[in-house]
Amino acid sequence: MLIVPEREIADLMTREAAFAAVEKVFAAMAADDAYNFPVVREAIGHEDALYGFKGGFDRAGLTLGLKAGGYWPNNLEKRGIINHQSTVFLFDPDTGKARAMVGGNLLTALRTAAASSVSIRHLAREDARVIGMVGAGHQATFQLRAALEQREFDKVIGWNLHPEMLPNLEKVAAEAGVPFEAVDLPGLRAADVIISITSSFEAILKPEHVSPGTHIACMGTDTTGKQEVSAALLAKATVFTDEVAQSVSIGEAQHAVAQGLIDESAITQLGAVINGAHPGRASAEEITLFDGTGVGLQDLAVAAAVVDLAVEKGIAIEVDF
Ligand code: NAD
């Protein structure tokens, strides 16, 4: 069995490799070559932790496994380690033998950023120049860094409930040589692409904050009850997602579907656009929305890619298991 420790991931994994892995597995999901297993998420009654598994099998890429982990709210204060902790386990689909164990913390941020980037590549207008951010926490920096590579963006604008966090975005914009401006919510009308990545439980973005032709990647809503976009705005947009079942239950579409504003059948898997089975954006005025709920197959895809890179560079630790 191979081990790729968390400490090695930053030097091994590239945004390009994460993008390629996620794009490929989204396409496999839409072609019914890959599927996610039901998610397990439990409050374990110890350390206030939420622990669970996200797994799946990609028959096309022959990737089988799961990500195990969750959220330990006391880690940082008590132990000086981050609260989100996860590990990916890969298995040989021919034999069931454990193939690899891979640190999953940084990979989670990279695969989530890759998902919104894939949506921007396939759904944003080619002439998109202004990117708007809603959210300025840990994930937001990864999101922005990856998104800036998808179009010739010449300006970043951002809004956050906690404005003192906005310098996180400004720093990433400066690294890319792009100016940054803090805006109020109506100011987001200047954006051609908007990424939302917050822990909000109430709609932030409403129809009056979004111009025609915008692509919105909603990345924060991954649990029942969370919400970043009003049901009215979602219903106005053409909706794409990583997985329809998650979109309507734990994703951004849960609210519009519950209110009867849209039907599940109106939501398209992004993989269908990648495969050419769906034309994607139909006009320069259409608002497209990607509901990125986060699926286990994304984790497996980037973990498999990092194992290949680790083997190539002689970094993978081999154990007799
Ligand atoms: P973080 O704690 O670093 O940042 C949280 C962000 O949300 C900040 O911008 C903060 O200002 C904002 N925020 C907090 N409470 C809010 C509220 N009540 N209303 C509006 N904004 C609020 O967290 P993070 O690691 O950046 O994660 C952000 C979100 O992304 C979380 O909800 C997390 O569950 C989600 N996430 C989704 C995926 C996916 O695949 N879709 C993957 C990882 C994380």
Side-chain angles (χ1 to χ4, degrees):
M1 184 173 84
L2 300 168
I3 298 175
V4 185
E6 184 69 44
R7 64 171 185 275
E8 303 289 1
I9 306 291
D11 287 338
L12 279 173
M13 196 59 181
T14 62
R15 285 194 292 283
E16 293 74 21
F19 184 101
V22 169
E23 186 182 48
K24 208 166 162 191
V25 82
F26 280 173
M29 282 164 61
D32 283 334
D33 281 333
Y35 72 108
N36 293 290
F37 305 155
V39 175
V40 173
R41 201 166 161 84
E42 294 286 325
I44 59 172
H46 179 74
E47 288 286 349
D48 292 327
L50 279 176
Y51 172 72
F53 317 113
K54 276 186 166 184
F57 179 43
D58 176 1
R59 250 187 313 267
L62 289 182
T63 310
L64 174 70
L66 59 91
K67 178 167 86 168
Y71 190 72
W72 275 258
N74 308 321
N75 272 0
L76 196 58
E77 230 167 80
K78 272 179 138 171
R79 301 182 178 87
I81 56 172
I82 63 169
N83 294 348
H84 284 278
Q85 291 292 333
S86 64
T87 307
V88 181
F89 297 89
L90 299 175
F91 296 85
D92 179 342
D94 295 338
T95 61
K97 264 181 75 80
R99 178 174 173 245
M101 180 167 101
V102 184
N105 296 348
L106 178 58
L107 283 183
T108 298
L110 291 173
R111 66 78 145 144
T112 307
S116 65
S117 277
V118 169
S119 84
I120 293 167
R121 173 88 58 96
H122 289 278
L123 295 170
R125 296 190 334 268
E126 284 297 334
D127 64 353
R129 293 294 174 268
V130 179
I131 179 156
M133 295 296 300
V134 173
H138 180 70
Q139 302 291 336
T141 57
F142 287 89
Q143 293 282 323
L144 179 58
R145 205 170 282 123
L148 283 169
E149 291 165 352
Q150 303 311 319
R151 289 288 183 273
E152 288 168 30
F153 291 113
D154 56 22
K155 191 170 182 185
V156 179
I157 59 179
W159 178 91
N160 194 44
L161 182 67
H162 309 103
E164 67 278 10
M165 293 171 85
L166 287 171
N168 293 339
L169 300 177
E170 193 166 7
K171 192 165 162 250
V172 174
E175 279 164 17
V178 180
F180 173 81
E181 190 189 335
V183 294
D184 57 12
L185 286 170
L188 286 168
R189 285 185 65 84
D192 304 304
V193 170
I194 298 175
I195 298 176
S196 62
I197 181 91
T198 71
S199 345
S200 177
F201 278 80
E202 252 173 71
I204 300 168
L205 276 175
K206 311 225 163 95
E208 61 270 27
H209 305 140
V210 177
S211 289
T214 303
H215 172 64
I216 313 170
C218 302
M219 306 304 297
T221 298
D222 55 1
T223 306
T224 306
K226 278 191 183 173
Q227 187 170 19
E228 298 186 304
V229 164
S230 76
L233 175 55
L234 187 128
K236 213 177 140 185
T238 309
V239 183
F240 300 84
T241 188
D242 40 22
E243 189 182 87
V244 176
Q246 288 201 174
S247 172
V248 300
S249 55
I250 59 168
E252 200 58 53
Q254 62 181 290
H255 307 286
V257 169
Q259 290 170 33
L261 294 180
I262 66 158
D263 188 72
E264 183 174 331
S265 61
I267 304 175
T268 304
Q269 272 188 295
L270 181 57
V273 182
I274 299 166
N275 286 340
H278 186 286
R281 167 174 292 280
S283 78
E285 283 73 44
E286 183 179 26
I287 294 174
T288 51
L289 185 148
F290 172 63
D291 188 3
T293 63
V295 293
L297 282 168
Q298 272 171 268
D299 298 298
L300 305 186
V302 289
V306 99
V307 169
D308 288 347
L309 289 166
V311 168
E312 215 174 89
K313 296 200 169 162
I315 287 169
I317 301 164
E318 199 161 353
V319 290
D320 191 10
F321 178 75

